[in-house]
Amino acid sequence: MHMFTDQYGCKVEMSFERGRLGEAPAHVLVLCRSEDAWLLTKHRERGLECPGGKKEPGETLEEAARREVAEETGARVSKLHFIGEYCVHVSEKPFVKAVFFARVVDIEKKDDYLETEGPYCEKGNLLQTRFQDHYSFLMKDDMIAHALNEVKRKGFI
């Protein structure tokens, strides 16, 4: 279990085992690899970030992960690999996200990417580039470093 504080001063817990945080995830985040690049999405307000969002009623976490990647980037992904879960303790209502890794099968150009401007491929070292100004605050969080290290540890990249 990893514990740290995010840039807003909120306590964050991260586990690489399912169900260790005491609350079921209602959100997803997907680390996507497209050939030799990380597939990100450009949120209109926050900047570059991994695709993700809220699970809809009746969806599994895996279904939500696939839907969010498709909506925000136009990509289809292969098998989803569970990486971990993290809980952000925001005031009285903490929220839990499930983190997955997936390889991109293909990317379809779309007319609308909802709240994002579509796909963006980062060929650099994401552990370093994520601190640039055009990246979302979400990417600068320690959770991303822990998740990327777990992806490497599991041999996915």
Side-chain angles (χ1 to χ4, degrees), residues 19-147:
R20 292 281 313 272
L21 301 176
E23 188 172 325
H27 300 79
V28 296
L29 180 140
V30 187
L31 298 163
C32 297
R33 195 78 177 151
S34 179
E35 297 177 9
D36 62 346
W38 292 101
L39 177 66
L40 305 172
T41 189
K42 186 173 182 189
H43 190 277
R44 288 193 174 103
E45 295 173 11
R46 295 188 297 256
L48 295 176
E49 59 190 29
C50 293
K54 293 179 184 175
K55 183 174 86 119
E56 293 182 355
E59 272 186 323
T60 66
L61 290 169
E62 290 78 5
E63 289 167 340
R66 288 181 188 284
R67 177 184 50 75
E68 289 289 347
V69 170
E71 286 178 355
E72 295 179 0
T73 69
R76 280 188 319 124
V77 295
S78 61
K79 180 180 177 186
L80 289 163
H81 301 275
F82 174 81
I83 298 302
E85 297 175 346
Y86 70 101
C87 178
V88 180
H89 296 272
V90 181
S91 59
E92 312 86 42
K93 184 74 173 134
F95 66 90
V96 178
K97 280 191 183 186
V99 181
F100 295 94
F101 171 79
R103 292 211 174 266
V104 172
V105 174
D106 58 26
I107 301 174
E108 179 182 314
K109 183 156 177 48
K110 297 171 38 169
D111 292 331
D112 183 22
Y113 297 96
L114 302 178
E115 71 272 9
T116 78
E117 294 177 7
Y120 177 88
C121 289
E122 173 58 68
K123 291 189 176 195
N125 180 343
L126 198 53
L127 283 171
Q128 295 172 349
T129 60
R130 67 193 178 103
F131 292 108
Q132 295 173 8
D133 289 342
H134 58 284
Y135 277 80
S136 165
F137 71 93
L138 299 168
M139 296 298 289
K140 297 169 182 164
D141 197 279
D142 285 351
M143 180 282 304
I144 291 292
H146 291 305

